[in-house]
């Protein structure tokens, strides 16, 4: 559905729930196939061919301004529009209370008009569509108060609701700013290199292949490759890692990164809308529109709750006077108070605010969480399965030893033969062998009849002899077998070299474990992860060696992709499982796990799409942070739901003794809205522990020496 996709920018959205409802209405327009409102970005995304006039009219009916220009996002401040009615309403309210009749009543009516005009317009539009939302409840309460002669109460409710409306806009803007801060990390202009002079142009006017100049201290505007120069680049905006990375000719750089030292000439590889940072922002925006189970439940609950409350308020206002000869004035007043206090707004905004805050926080730390359902699932994880190569290890093998098993062939000849055959292969081990031969300055003989055997090895003819490089196929002598075993026990991957079906040598390669693996696994155990497992296609000896170094209790070796998939399903019979891999090779296991987490996906389109959670950098310590963030988010959602419902019930009990006034009811509703929003916004400032500050004494620390096992909770 990517064709006919249009984006519009909005001004005047009150809350995430209002945004969702507006999206549902837009989706019903003629020519619209699908519509979504991304509240955090003030953006409407429409698939189809909508009638612009009809769309604009519909937006105005919801008190929303719509524009095709991104610049319109910042047109005017929301504060003057809402803050001015609050100030004027306060002045007229005070005058209305103290001035004598009829001037006081005139001022009170002005307060209702100034403070409640927006509410009455929205209520009218909602009633036309038979929608009973918060605006309808408030409009009924104010109208009812005027009807029974409670002029001051009506004016106070209208003014307090205007204050609540303004505060809601303010906290919503704070929530949006957490995403906006991501977008602002990328410069809007770049210094384009031309033959005659360098020209400062908007990034959207730069094409793939253009060269731009990035001076020391400037942010890199677009993704690209270093064409000239060298520098240290801080990639924290993209990967969440603040330690600068050395960049030289041929290295990739990401838009939004900070060039800290020398000048760089960068050849652009992605246009602005397809840069890594643009993809991150797009994913975060889309994630915030994906509903969690709790959010879906709350919205279904609210859909039935509001009509029930209106019916209950009518019964409270009418039944006691009819059945028990109660005073009409008092019971109508109680019914109006019930309308105000029972408004479900605080309950409905609970989850969206938390999602906006937590996902923006995660993105700022180089973690992309795909949606609300994934965030909640992340909090339930009890088992974690790791891929080995490229996940727990760096994924780059180095030749540790070249051994000859035939006195007539030297070590150099073994390496030369192996490299000659492997030069037609793209396997990582083949590239490592070629790199070693190159570093030793060896010349490679010519080969013919090259054949690749998947997951086994390669063979070719060298000077009329058949040379095999790969898995051991023939029995070794007793001494050769012992040598092979010793190398494997040391954590090496062994490649056999055969000439005419006789094993003449072996090459030992080793992949080094990531320095943060031990600390990350220890932290995961501290956070209640019951089982950690390593899954690898490597041999058992190498698997055992790496697993023990990483502090992982269980491992499975010599697995094919389908074997990993099967093992993940077995683990799921006991508890929710996260699979951690480095992208495409682990796609089946990542897809079937309760949470699939891909590492080091900066610049990788496929891995970003496959995983439920994606780490932009190869940093295992971000996994416990993601778990912490998800658990805190779910905890705050529960706190907000309990608080919102509890406060409503508590205040409801004060209606029947006659203790609850209209102004107190709206204060309670306003307070609930503000408190649940501020509670959710705490997640924006949740910080990831800085690993560089942890290299202290091992007693009670989280250093690499103890792997964080002694870290105090």
């Amino acid at each position: 559905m990517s064709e006919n996709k249009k984006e519009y920018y909005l001004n005047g959205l009150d809350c995430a729930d209002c945004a969702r409802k507006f999206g549902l209405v837009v989706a019903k327009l003629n020519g619209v196939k699908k519509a979504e409102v991304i509240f955090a970005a003030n953006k409407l995304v429409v698939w189809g061919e909508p009638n612009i006039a009809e769309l604009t009219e519909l937006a105005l009916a919801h008190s929303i301004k719509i524009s095709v220009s991104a610049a319109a996002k910042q047109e005017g401040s929301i504060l003057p529009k809402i803050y001015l009615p609050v100030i004027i309403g306060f002045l007229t309210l005070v005058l209305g209370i103290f001035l004598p009749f009829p001037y006081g009543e005139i001022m009170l009516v002005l307060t209702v008009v100034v403070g409640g005009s927006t509410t009455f317009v929205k209520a009218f539009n909602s009633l036309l569509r038979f929608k009973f939302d918060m605006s309808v409840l408030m409009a009924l309460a104010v109208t009812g108060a005027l009807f029974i002669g409670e002029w001051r109460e009506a004016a106070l409710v209208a003014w307090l609701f205007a204050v609540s409306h303004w505060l809601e806009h303010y906290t919503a803007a704070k929530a949006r700013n957490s995403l906006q801060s991501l977008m602002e990390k990328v410069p809007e202009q770049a210094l384009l290199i031309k033959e005659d002079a360098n020209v400062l142009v908007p990034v959207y006017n730069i094409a793939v292949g253009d060269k731009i100049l990035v001076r020391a201290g400037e942010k890199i505007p677009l993704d690209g490759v270093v064409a000239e120069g060298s520098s240290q680049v801080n990639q924290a905006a993209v990967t969440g890692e603040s330690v600068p990375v050395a960049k030289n000719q041929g290295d990739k750089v990401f838009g939004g990164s900070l060039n800290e030292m020398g000048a760089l000439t960068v050849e652009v590889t992605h246009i602005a809308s397809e840069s890594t940072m643009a993809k991150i922002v797009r994913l975060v925006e889309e994630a915030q529109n994906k509903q969690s189970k709790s959010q879906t439940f709350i919205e279904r609950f609210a859909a039935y709750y509001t009509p029930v409350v209106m019916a209950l308020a009518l019964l409270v206002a009418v039944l006691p006077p009819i059945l028990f000869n109660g005073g009409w004035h008092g019971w109508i007043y109680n019914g109006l108070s019930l309308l105000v206090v029972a408004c479900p707004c605080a309950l409905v905004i609970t989850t969206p605010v938390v999602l906006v805050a937590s996902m923006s926080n995660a993105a700022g730390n180089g973690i992309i969480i795909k949606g609300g359902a994934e965030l909640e699932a992340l909090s339930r994880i009890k088992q974690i399965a790791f891929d080995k190569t490229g996940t727990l290890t760096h994924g780059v093998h180095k030749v540790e030893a070249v051994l000859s098993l035939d006195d007539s062939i030297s070590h150099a000849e073994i390496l030369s033969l192996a490299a000659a055959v492997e030069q037609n292969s793209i396997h990582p081990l083949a590239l490592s062998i070629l790199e070693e031969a190159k570093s030793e300055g060896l010349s490679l003989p010519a080969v013919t009849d090259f054949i690749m055997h998947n997951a086994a090895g390669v063979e070719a003819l060298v000077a009329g002899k058949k040379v095999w490089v790969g898995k051991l196929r023939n029995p070794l002598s007793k001494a050769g077998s012992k040598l092979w075993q010793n190398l494997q026990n040391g954590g090496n991957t062994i490649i056999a070299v055969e000439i005419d079906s006789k094993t003449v040598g072996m090459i030992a390669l080793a992949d080094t474990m990531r320095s943060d693996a031990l600390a990350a696994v220890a932290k995961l155990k501290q956070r209640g992860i019951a089982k950690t497992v390593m899954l690898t296609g490597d041999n058992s000896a190498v698997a055992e060696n790496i697993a023990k170094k990483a502090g992982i209790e269980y491992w499975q070796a010599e697995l094919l992709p389908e074997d990993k998939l099967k093992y993940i399903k077995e683990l799921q019979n006991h508890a929710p499982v996260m699979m951690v891999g480095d992208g495409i090779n682990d796609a089946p296991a990542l897809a079937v796990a309760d949470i699939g987490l891909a590492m080091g996906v900066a610049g990788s389109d496929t891995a970003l799409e496959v995983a439920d959670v994606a780490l932009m950098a190869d940093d295992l310590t971000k996994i416990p942070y993601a778990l912490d963030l998800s658990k805190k988010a779910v905890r705050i959602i529960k706190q907000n739901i309990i608080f919102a419902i509890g406060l409503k019930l508590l205040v409801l009990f004060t209606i029947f003794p006659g203790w609850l006034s209209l102004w107190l009811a709206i204060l309670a509703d306003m307070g609930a809205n503000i408190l649940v929003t501020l509670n959710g916004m705490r997640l924006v400032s949740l910080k990831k522990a800085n690993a560089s500050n942890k290299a202290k004494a091992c007693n009670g620390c989280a250093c690499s020496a103890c792997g964080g096992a002694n870290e105090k909770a």
Side-chain angles (χ1 to χ4, degrees), residues 454-492:
N454 288 333
V458 293
E459 64 178 318
L461 290 178
V462 181
K465 296 180 179 180
K466 186 180 289 185
V467 177
W468 165 269
V469 182
K471 288 187 175 181
L472 183 66
R473 301 190 300 180
N474 299 299
L476 295 172
S477 65
K478 188 175 180 180
S481 295
K482 186 176 180 180
L483 187 60
W484 184 284
Q485 194 62 48
N486 288 340
L487 288 169
Q488 272 198 344
N489 292 341
N492 294 290

Side-chain angles (χ1 to χ4, degrees), residues 336-356:
L336 296 175
S337 299
L338 176 59
L339 279 181
V340 175
V341 78
C343 177
C345 188
L347 192 61
V348 172
I349 67 174
T350 291
T351 306
V353 167
V354 173
L355 292 183
V356 170

Side-chain angles (χ1 to χ4, degrees), residues 397-405 410-416 418-419 429 432-437 439-440 442 469-470 483-488 490-497 504-511:
H397 285 74
K398 291 186 177 180
V399 174
E400 297 293 322
V402 180
L403 303 171
S404 174
L405 302 177
S410 68
H411 297 173
E413 288 174 312
I414 295 291
L415 181 59
S416 178
L429 295 181
S432 297
I433 292 172
L434 281 165
E435 185 64 30
E436 181 67 15
S439 67
E440 293 192 13
L442 300 178
V469 182
L483 187 60
W484 184 284
Q485 194 62 48
N486 288 340
L487 288 169
Q488 272 198 344
N492 294 290
T493 298
I494 316 300
I495 301 295
V497 180
V504 296
M506 60 181 77
I507 301 173
L509 302 100
D511 185 7

Side-chain angles (χ1 to χ4, degrees), residues 10-14 39 42 63 72-86 162 165-177:
L10 308 175
N11 246 309
L13 290 177
D14 292 335
F39 171 65
N42 275 345
S63 301
K73 288 188 290 182
Q74 305 303 326
E75 268 185 13
S77 168
I78 60 168
L79 297 182
K81 295 180 191 174
I82 302 167
Y83 197 52
L84 197 58
V86 170
H165 200 57
W166 172 72
L167 288 171
E168 195 173 298
H169 268 265
Y170 178 76
T171 51
K174 291 270 287 182
R176 290 193 196 102
N177 285 343

Side-chain angles (χ1 to χ4, degrees), residues 1 32 50 54 121 196 198 222 235 291 303 316 329 401 439 443 543 571 643 681 702 705:
M1 202 181 283
V32 176
E54 190 178 7
V121 170
D196 48 349
N198 298 337
L222 296 157
Q235 301 183 145
Q291 294 186 327
V316 167
H329 180 281
S439 67
S443 59
L571 288 174
F643 172 76
M681 289 302 296

